[in-house]
């Protein structure tokens, strides 16, 4: 039995799904979406808010503000509501309607930007708006998930140790990169702990995080239009770039087996299989991939046939039986 005293507490992150029966590889999915925030972002959100409170940055009339594609916004909405703080989330039109509705239901104010910046995409537009809000009203407190050390430290102290506790001999860990907090924290912990596990970053095609050309991206969560300040590419043993159409197909492969995951999870699992196909012909490696969230917030996009067909064509709708896991 698990008993909690506040919705901001994280739980359920010790759940792993064994994909061997489905894929024929020793690949485990670490499920991080089973908390009140609905994603792994609950860990970073709790850590950043706690640090701001300890530093005295939060006062009785403070208003939390953050740029988010969705998941951190929901996590901060939960924490702000539980603590009695107003919260404003600055997002963009790629944010799922259900995610925005969830934030509003929790009492948050949701500001949606419609036009991407010519040099930094939607992220640059969002950040410009956050900075303007803070300049115009001193009550606003910006946690800045993109540069806040508590973002990666939360995963250094929780996510990575959890993986090694369950899989002390893991060979390779696949982690998606958005703000890079999860990936950076885990990679640093594996290095500092003396683990021999390789850390492979998984990024979306069209993201500039690893100096690739910018391109359009429709699925929120992974990737960035501006390189994350905390990203240290030297921490990673390799990086895989995944087309969003492949992420959609993988989400649907998993859902056909009763596992409804979010777009980021589809990206990470797809990237993991692509990497393993190249580097593990004997299928001898033990691998773990981190699943940031569940799929309920993607019902109108990733799991909507019309949306998928309109943006990615009929190939992204191929039956799950066509996937052979190689």
């Amino acid at each position: 039995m698990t008993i909690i005293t506040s919705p901001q507490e994280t739980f359920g992150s010790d759940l792993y799904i064994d994909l061997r029966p489905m894929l024929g590889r020793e690949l485990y999915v670490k499920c991080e979406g089973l908390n009140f925030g609905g994603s792994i972002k609950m860990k970073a959100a709790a850590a950043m808010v706690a640090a701001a409170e300890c530093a005295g940055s939060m006062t009785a009339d403070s208003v939390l503000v953050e740029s988010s594609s969705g998941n951190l916004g929901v996590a901060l909405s939960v924490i702000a509501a539980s603590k009695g703080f107003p919260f404003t989330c600055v997002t963009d039109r790629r944010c799922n309607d259900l995610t925005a509705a969830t934030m509003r239901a929790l009492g948050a104010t949701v500001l949606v930007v419609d036009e991407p910046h010519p040099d930094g995409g939607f992220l640059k537009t969002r950040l410009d708006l956050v900075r303007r809000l803070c300049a115009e009203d001193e009550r606003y407190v910006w946690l800045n998930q993109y540069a806040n050390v508590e973002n990666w430290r939360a995963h250094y102290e929780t996510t990575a140790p959890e993986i090694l506790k369950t899989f002390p001999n893991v060979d390779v860990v696949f982690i998606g990169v958005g703000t890079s907090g999860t990936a950076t924290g885990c990679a640093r912990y594996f290095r500092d702990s003396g683990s021999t596990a390789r850390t492979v970053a998984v990024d979306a095609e069209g993201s500039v995080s690893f100096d690739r050309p910018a391109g359009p991206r429709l699925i929120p969560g992974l990737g960035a239009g501006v390189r994350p300040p905390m990203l240290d590419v030297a921490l990673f043993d390799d990086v895989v770039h995944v087309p969003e159409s492949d992420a959609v197909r993988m989400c649907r492969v998993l859902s056909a087996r009763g596992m409804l995951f979010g777009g980021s999870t589809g990206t990470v699992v797809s990237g993991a299989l692509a990497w393993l196909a190249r580097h593990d012909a004997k299928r001898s490696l033990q691998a773990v991939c981190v699943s940031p969230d569940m799929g309920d917030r993607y019902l109108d996009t990733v799991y909507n046939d019309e949306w998928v067909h309109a943006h990615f064509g009929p190939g992204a709708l191929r039956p799950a039986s066509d996937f052979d896991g190689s």
Side-chain angles (χ1 to χ4, degrees), residues 202-205 240-247 266-268 270-272:
V202 181
D203 199 10
E205 281 196 357
V240 180
H241 290 87
V242 178
E244 288 192 321
S245 57
D246 288 353
T267 304
V268 175
S270 179

Side-chain angles (χ1 to χ4, degrees), residues 6-307:
S6 169
Q8 64 185 288
E9 294 183 36
T10 58
F11 55 91
S13 58
D14 282 335
L15 174 64
Y16 296 81
I17 295 178
D18 183 353
L19 295 184
R20 281 179 296 180
M22 176 180 144
L23 303 177
R25 290 188 178 276
E26 194 174 358
L27 177 62
Y28 301 90
V29 177
K30 186 181 196 302
C31 300
E32 289 279 354
L34 301 176
N35 57 62
F36 279 98
S39 78
I40 196 170
K41 291 292 189 177
M42 198 69 177
K43 290 177 173 178
M48 291 190 296
V49 170
E53 289 181 313
C54 289
S57 302
M58 301 292 298
T59 63
D61 63 345
S62 291
V63 179
L64 280 174
V65 62
E66 187 56 84
S67 158
S68 171
S69 61
N71 280 338
L72 184 73
V74 174
L76 286 173
S77 297
V78 171
I79 293 174
S82 70
K83 289 180 172 290
F85 285 114
F87 169 55
T88 296
C89 180
V90 178
T91 188
D92 59 68
R93 54 183 165 84
R94 296 173 303 178
C95 179
N96 299 320
D97 290 343
L98 182 56
T99 299
T102 300
M103 288 189 278
R104 293 188 181 101
L106 289 164
T109 298
V110 182
L111 304 180
V112 182
V113 302
D114 290 322
E115 295 298 328
H117 189 280
D119 297 322
F122 283 111
L123 177 55
K124 180 66 165 58
T125 305
R126 283 164 26 199
L127 294 178
D128 286 347
L129 178 54
V130 170
R131 292 188 179 100
R132 187 165 73 249
L133 291 171
C134 292
E136 294 174 351
D137 191 336
E138 62 182 12
R139 294 177 304 158
Y140 280 103
V141 176
W142 181 26
L143 299 174
N144 193 359
Q145 63 163 325
Y146 308 98
N148 194 320
V149 296
E150 299 301 329
N151 187 341
W152 66 261
R153 188 174 291 155
H155 303 287
Y156 186 97
E157 296 176 351
T158 61
T159 308
E162 289 164 0
I163 291 172
L164 287 185
K165 179 181 178 181
T166 305
F167 300 98
N169 299 313
V170 63
D171 294 299
V172 56
V173 180
F174 299 93
I175 310 172
V177 177
T179 65
S180 82
T182 305
T184 295
C186 288
R188 280 185 174 153
Y189 184 86
F190 295 145
R191 179 197 62 187
D192 294 349
S193 68
S195 169
T196 59
R198 284 175 280 183
T199 307
V200 177
V202 181
D203 199 10
E205 281 196 357
S207 168
V208 304
S209 297
F210 291 88
D211 297 324
R212 296 279 288 259
R217 290 177 292 110
L218 299 173
I219 302 174
L222 298 188
V226 178
R227 183 168 178 171
M230 73 180 74
L231 178 62
D232 181 357
V233 297
L235 289 171
F236 304 100
D237 296 285
D238 206 349
V239 58
V240 180
H241 290 87
V242 178
E244 288 192 321
S245 57
D246 288 353
V248 170
R249 278 193 289 268
M250 180 52 63
C251 283
R252 286 165 169 258
V253 166
L254 295 171
S255 68
R257 271 71 171 186
M259 295 173 280
L260 194 70
F261 284 112
S264 297
T265 302
T267 304
V268 175
V269 175
S270 179
L273 290 178
W275 190 94
L276 290 169
R278 293 194 300 269
H279 299 279
D280 187 29
K282 296 182 179 180
R283 302 192 175 216
S284 61
L285 296 179
Q286 183 183 77
V288 172
C289 56
V290 177
S291 166
D293 60 3
M294 307 307 288
D296 53 320
R297 295 172 186 163
Y298 301 81
L299 296 178
D300 289 337
T301 54
V302 171
Y303 296 104
N304 181 308
D305 287 355
E306 292 183 1
W307 185 89

